[in-house]
Amino acid sequence: RPSPRCGPPSLHNMRTTNSHAAIAFIALASAALVCVTSIYGRSNAENVGAALTVRPQFTSCGTTPSTRSQIYARKPSRRFREIKEKVEQKPYKTMEAIQLLKQLASAKFAETMEVHADLNIDPRKATQNLRTTVVLPNGTGKSVKVAVLCKDEDAKEYKAAGADIAGFQDLIDDINKGNLDFERLITTPDMMPQIARLGRVLGPKGLMPSIKSGTVTTDVPTTLKEIKAGRLELRADKKGVVHMPFGKATFDDEALLQNLRAIQDTIDANKPTDIKKQYWKSVYLTSTMGPGIQLDLSALNAKEYV
């Protein structure tokens, strides 16, 4: 600060002061950058973990993870590592994969068998948005609780046909309160105005009835019978992958193969007409607690399962 006797600072002194401040700021920033690089640039994961004490923002390579789960990812259990070692890195024929998957299903409960099929489609296009239903010949091995939104006078008939819940205003009130004590909801076309008001509750839960999924129907008894027998909605996600259960590990091999063939036939029957290239990209089988097993596409397309 200049002395009052010295008068106002000259332009030269102001420029010199600003230059010194800029140089000091650049030096401070460079020192901070060196510190950050020395901490986050280490390849030793333990040192990085010690440096990232709370809510880490960088991985060991200095990149920002998309989710915290990438940092706090759990190490696979010994059981899973031992199971995975038994799976060879090769495509398997369908029956061979089913038999191996059943051998590896060693959990204390009946594991669900799943198929994950990556299709060469673009679901953003209306003509390639795969969505239909499939009836598994041997069921899913799981009991499904079904509700029917209908007129009160029809509720008794539908309960006799297999519905777990049936009704009109009482069911609407329960849904509005968030009491969704069912896994599938069926309704008739004349109930659609009431269903539309429940979309904010049913939509996020995947319970909204629709014509494409076969849950808006005039033949409620037949639909109930099919759903109880193992009818599922088959649809591709936004990346064109179909995820479907096809039974339990307690099923015999032939029953699982029949269910899987039903899914394959349904996907083939609903192939978009504008797909000229290869339809199936890859198919994997897995179980609830098991590894993924890749299927041989050439054998699958030729329907050579054994």
Side-chain angles (χ1 to χ4, degrees):
R1 182 177 179 180
S3 172
R5 293 181 298 176
C6 298
S10 65
L11 183 60
H12 173 74
N13 291 338
M14 292 178 63
R15 287 177 176 173
T16 303
T17 303
N18 291 339
S19 298
H20 290 166
I23 293 172
F25 176 79
I26 293 172
L28 182 62
S30 300
L33 182 61
V34 170
C35 292
V36 172
T37 304
S38 64
I39 294 175
Y40 295 107
R42 295 175 183 172
S43 58
N44 190 336
E46 294 181 357
N47 293 336
V48 173
L52 307 179
T53 53
V54 180
R55 300 183 66 84
Q57 301 298 321
F58 298 91
T59 61
S60 59
C61 59
T63 58
T64 304
S66 58
T67 61
R68 293 183 65 186
S69 61
Q70 294 181 13
I71 297 175
Y72 299 109
R74 293 180 60 184
K75 185 178 180 181
S77 65
R78 180 185 298 176
R79 171 191 169 276
F80 185 82
R81 293 197 303 270
E82 292 175 352
I83 287 175
K84 195 172 182 180
E85 290 176 357
K86 298 178 181 178
V87 180
E88 299 180 27
Q89 297 301 315
K90 67 168 188 176
Y92 286 78
K93 285 193 175 182
T94 306
M95 182 58 81
E96 186 182 8
I98 288 174
Q99 292 172 347
L100 177 59
L101 202 57
K102 287 182 63 178
Q103 293 174 10
L104 302 179
S106 58
K108 296 181 180 179
F109 59 92
E111 298 186 37
T112 299
M113 311 290 273
E114 304 169 5
V115 56
H116 303 269
D118 188 5
L119 305 178
N120 207 352
I121 60 175
D122 185 359
R124 294 174 297 179
K125 298 180 180 179
T127 57
Q128 298 183 22
N129 189 6
L130 179 63
R131 185 175 182 181
T132 184
T133 59
V134 56
V135 179
L136 302 183
N138 301 291
T140 61
K142 178 183 177 183
S143 59
V144 182
K145 198 168 186 179
V146 185
V148 179
L149 182 63
C150 60
K151 297 178 181 178
D152 289 329
E153 54 266 28
D154 297 328
K156 187 175 181 180
E157 176 189 352
Y158 296 151
K159 283 185 177 179
D164 299 282
I165 304 171
F168 180 55
Q169 193 59 50
D170 291 342
L171 183 54
I172 290 177
D173 293 340
D174 287 341
I175 293 173
N176 280 323
K177 293 176 184 177
N179 299 329
L180 306 177
D181 190 22
F182 52 86
E183 297 166 276
R184 303 289 291 277
L185 179 62
I186 301 174
T187 190
T188 52
D190 58 317
M191 292 285 108
M192 287 307 293
Q194 285 73 26
I195 284 290
R197 301 190 189 106
L198 303 174
R200 60 183 179 81
V201 181
L202 297 173
K205 301 292 185 181
L207 296 172
M208 190 70 176
S210 67
I211 296 175
K212 283 188 175 181
S213 63
T215 47
V216 177
T217 177
T218 55
D219 191 356
V220 175
T222 301
T223 303
L224 278 169
K225 184 178 179 181
E226 289 180 351
I227 291 177
K228 291 287 187 177
R231 193 182 83 174
L232 298 173
E233 183 180 3
L234 187 151
R235 64 186 302 177
D237 63 15
K238 61 182 180 180
K239 293 186 178 180
V241 182
V242 175
H243 312 274
M244 291 286 294
F246 65 99
K248 295 286 186 179
T250 52
F251 285 20
D252 60 64
D253 299 346
E254 191 61 34
L256 289 171
L257 179 60
Q258 290 175 3
N259 284 352
L260 195 58
R261 289 182 63 179
I263 294 172
Q264 180 190 2
D265 292 343
T266 303
I267 293 175
D268 285 336
N270 288 271
K271 178 181 178 180
T273 55
D274 54 343
I275 295 293
K276 306 301 180 183
K277 47 193 174 183
Q278 182 180 355
Y279 186 34
W280 298 74
K281 292 170 65 176
S282 65
V283 184
Y284 284 82
L285 302 186
T286 186
S287 60
T288 307
M289 305 292 288
I293 300 177
Q294 186 178 6
L295 296 188
D296 186 346
L297 274 184
S298 58
L300 188 67
N301 289 326
K303 299 188 183 297
E304 298 175 359
Y305 303 109
V306 181

